[in-house]
Amino acid sequence: MAAQKPSVPKGTRDFSPVEMVKRNFIFDTIKDVFKRYGYLPIETPSMENLSTLMGKYGEEGDKLLFKILNSGDYLSKVKSNLTEVESSKLSLEISEKGLRYDLTVPFARFVVQHLNDITFPFKRYQIQPVWRADRPQKGRYREFYQCDVDVIGSNSLLNEVELVQIIDQIFQKLNVNSVIKINNRKILLGIAETIGEPDKFIDITVAIDKLDKIGLEKVNEELLSKGISKTAIEKLKPIFDLSGSNFDKLKSLKEIVKDSETGLKGVEEVETILDYFEILPLNIELELDLTLARGLNYYTGAIFEVKAKDVEIGSVCGGGRYDDLTGVFGLKDVSGVGISFGADRIYDVMEQLNIFPKEIVASTKVMFVNFGKNEEKYCLPLLQKLRDNGINSEIFPESAKMKKQMTYANNKNIPFVILVGANEMDKGVLTVKDMISGDQSEMKFKELLQKLS
RNA sequence: GUGGUUGUAGCUCAGUUGGUUAGAGUGCUUGAUUGUGGUUCAAGAAGUCGCCGGUUCGAACCCGGUCUCCCACCCCA
């Protein structure tokens, strides 16, 4: 049999031990902060029924769902004429499951399905991979991890405030220089109403979302092509010109959307949230950005996005409030708010800036060199004691050449190597070599324990 | 989904207008050094030139297709 070239599917990756240590550093940091704020973990299956997923992410999102072919003779149940049917229709007949696209929709499903076991407000976190049939590029993968925190069953803006604090904490701990952008869908809706194009709300948000990327002129072109009137576009202009502090912007906004009840409500919400941070100082900048829109169309209130400074990559965290995500699953009037950290992008940012703490890569603290069977037996109980004292340690599994054993320790960044041969066994001491300085000295086991703890 | 780009040793990359046996650095193995790694020196192993087909006496090189990587758009973490 011809050897087949090993490979993984497009947009997926293997992770080496070094990469995993770094990834886990991110996951652990995020998880710790989530827990600190009283969130508990859940997990949901990798695959969901297509009926759960379809239609939740807009037309674009539906196309990006990975669908799973039904088992067995899946073609036998197809009712359509195979030579005529469109592939989009056929896919629904031969596939009834799909890989999850995000963690928010499965969470909404979870809440409704387990209503009896849940007390509201329900605070959960969830760190799992999601899949999107997107074409890969910088910072974009087909399989990637999201780290979600959501509260469901509480309208209080205190939840939004808490999420901002969580973002602040996490990026501070990871030492990633970033800026939190906040906006509110109600403000955007209010603006659409004010300029007399409430039906074009989605087109307007999508277009102005691109403002900082393609510029005012191109945005206006796009708006025009979507059928938005010239006078409406003209009215939009002062909104983009807003400047000054967050509170300055809010003041001007109030004037602009004064005839829209929804718009005013949105302004008030943002104001309330920002007010809290007068007494709760943040490490990271929090900026009201009216061009922030977010594509996912289930958001209804506050929306958030975090961008890393110093690195050209999409957002590293995003989220917002959704008033009726559980509605489609039969639970009305339950509002939730949540955010999602993109662990893979955070990794890319940290890797590019080279800001992973050096010490996380060195996992093993101590290695015993293996000189043979007798020495092994002498070392194993000592090794056990080190481990009982919480010191990561190992013994080289065979009595290979010293050079090989030392190279192994060196490549694994093990800071201490212990040599116990006939000499040491006679004297009842250990030769401890510091791999960084190159110094070595004899000491008793007790002294070693002290040195390491 | 649209457009562009890339693929040669484990890794990073050379490879002339198509012409004998495809190279370098690094890593790996071995030795100099039988109880000492990270420096040095010497030797060695390692490649279906992404894959399939075509043109040619002859293809890593030219042509077609396909896969992959990366980039932009779309969209998003």
Side-chain angles (χ1 to χ4, degrees):
Chain A
M1 195 174 90
Q4 95 189 46
K5 193 152 201 161
S7 65
V8 294
K10 194 193 191 98
T12 67
R13 298 153 299 157
D14 287 326
F15 300 108
S16 69
V18 174
E19 289 169 314
M20 277 314 294
V21 166
K22 293 177 179 175
R23 285 170 67 83
N24 283 337
F25 172 70
I26 295 174
F27 290 133
D28 291 344
T29 305
I30 290 174
K31 205 185 291 177
D32 284 348
V33 175
F34 288 172
K35 284 194 237 171
R36 193 81 70 229
Y37 284 79
Y39 292 79
L40 293 171
I42 70 160
E43 284 199 9
T44 63
S46 302
M47 57 183 111
E48 292 278 347
N49 292 324
L50 271 185
S51 54
T52 303
L53 301 173
M54 296 285 283
K56 310 298 190 298
Y57 310 106
E59 210 177 309
E60 223 29 68
D62 282 356
K63 282 190 215 155
L64 298 179
L65 286 171
F66 273 111
K67 301 184 183 76
I68 297 172
L69 204 53
N70 291 341
S71 316
D73 186 5
Y74 53 86
L75 272 184
S76 64
K77 290 177 192 157
V78 172
K79 295 189 182 95
S80 314
N81 182 338
L82 281 178
T83 53
E84 286 167 16
V85 68
E86 293 167 36
S87 40
S88 61
K89 269 192 172 168
L90 178 65
S91 74
L92 295 179
E93 292 194 65
I94 61 177
S95 164
E96 53 195 22
K97 296 180 290 297
L99 293 175
R100 73 167 101 77
Y101 178 91
D102 72 354
L103 300 178
T104 309
V105 167
F107 173 53
R109 192 223 81 223
F110 178 97
V111 167
V112 180
Q113 198 173 325
H114 301 280
L115 257 190
N116 289 335
D117 309 316
I118 289 173
T119 39
F120 291 113
F122 181 50
K123 299 171 76 166
R124 75 87 230 228
Y125 74 85
Q126 189 172 357
I127 299 178
Q128 288 190 274
V130 302
W131 294 269
R132 295 182 190 178
D134 225 341
R135 212 189 268 198
Q137 57 175 277
K138 192 190 189 87
R140 174 184 293 182
Y141 306 99
R142 287 187 152 183
E143 177 183 62
F144 61 97
Y145 271 76
Q146 290 196 328
C147 313
D148 275 35
V149 245
D150 290 77
V151 201
I152 203 159
S154 164
N155 290 311
S156 165
L157 292 173
L158 206 53
N159 297 306
E160 274 87 337
V161 171
E162 189 169 283
L163 291 175
V164 171
Q165 286 180 287
I166 287 175
I167 294 173
D168 186 58
Q169 284 282 303
I170 287 175
F171 286 105
Q172 196 205 1
K173 284 193 176 196
L174 293 175
N175 204 13
V176 172
N177 197 4
S178 30
V179 52
I180 308 171
K181 301 195 170 188
I182 182 174
N183 195 8
N184 195 299
R185 288 285 261 236
K186 294 191 181 92
I187 296 181
L188 295 172
L189 191 56
I191 290 170
E193 282 174 10
T194 305
I195 65 168
E197 300 274 6
D199 302 340
K200 297 273 164 57
F201 169 57
I202 289 181
D203 288 334
I204 292 171
T205 58
V206 168
I208 66 177
D209 189 33
K210 295 176 192 161
L211 191 65
D212 55 341
K213 208 168 180 182
I214 61 174
L216 184 61
E217 226 166 283
K218 288 264 171 79
V219 168
N220 284 347
E221 272 172 39
E222 179 162 335
L223 287 169
L224 210 56
S225 76
K226 294 284 181 190
I228 290 149
S229 75
K230 272 219 162 116
T231 51
I233 292 173
E234 204 50 40
K235 280 191 201 162
L236 222 42
K237 198 161 176 293
I239 295 156
F240 301 144
D241 291 340
L242 286 181
S243 59
S245 74
N246 289 336
F247 288 105
D248 289 343
K249 289 184 196 167
L250 284 175
K251 212 170 156 193
S252 324
L253 257 184
K254 262 187 211 163
E255 201 43 44
I256 294 170
V257 299
K258 64 178 188 297
D259 296 325
S260 159
E261 201 183 312
T262 323
L264 285 174
K265 183 89 192 348
V267 174
E268 190 194 313
E269 285 181 14
V270 172
E271 201 167 23
T272 307
I273 294 168
L274 291 178
D275 259 340
Y276 277 100
F277 292 105
E278 296 294 295
I279 55 160
L280 291 170
L282 293 168
N283 299 293
I284 298 179
E285 190 189 344
L286 176 62
E287 183 198 341
L288 171 60
D289 181 357
L290 291 164
T291 69
L292 170 61
R294 295 199 59 79
L296 259 39
N297 53 21
Y298 50 65
Y299 292 121
T300 51
I303 42 183
F304 306 100
E305 201 161 280
V306 181
K307 289 226 155 157
K309 291 177 177 173
D310 318 320
V311 177
E312 197 60 42
I313 202 164
S315 58
V316 290
C317 175
R321 181 169 283 276
Y322 39 89
D323 278 334
D324 200 30
L325 197 52
T326 55
V328 277
F329 301 116
L331 179 66
K332 297 275 181 224
D333 300 322
V334 174
S335 179
V337 57
I339 48 173
S340 177
F341 291 79
D344 303 77
R345 281 187 182 174
I346 294 174
Y347 180 98
D348 289 347
V349 168
M350 293 182 69
E351 189 64 36
Q352 206 170 318
L353 298 175
N354 199 15
I355 54 173
F356 280 106
K358 297 271 179 303
E359 62 273 15
I360 60 173
V361 180
S363 164
T364 303
K365 261 239 172 71
V366 179
M367 186 192 88
F368 283 80
V369 170
N370 190 325
F371 283 110
K373 288 288 165 241
N374 290 335
E375 291 85 347
E376 240 175 56
K377 285 195 178 134
Y378 185 86
C379 292
L380 282 173
L382 301 178
L383 185 58
Q384 191 55 50
K385 269 188 201 145
L386 284 181
R387 288 172 178 159
D388 288 346
N389 279 278
I391 297 162
N392 297 350
S393 42
E394 59 183 296
I395 181 168
F396 201 84
E398 43 202 286
S399 60
K401 292 215 165 89
M402 267 288 259
K403 186 183 162 104
K404 185 170 171 64
Q405 303 197 32
M406 295 301 279
T407 307
Y408 173 86
N410 195 54
N411 290 349
K412 227 174 149 180
N413 281 316
I414 297 174
F416 296 103
V417 168
I418 297 180
L419 301 98
V420 184
N423 288 345
E424 285 85 353
M425 281 162 62
D426 283 348
K427 287 162 77 178
V429 294
L430 316 170
T431 297
V432 178
K433 173 156 180 146
D434 182 324
M435 291 295 278
I436 295 158
S437 66
D439 303 337
Q440 66 184 52
S441 58
E442 291 186 352
M443 61 177 77
K444 294 234 150 57
F445 183 73
K446 268 193 184 157
E447 296 173 76
L448 174 70
L449 260 185
Q450 268 178 349
K451 186 184 172 82
L452 295 177
S453 45

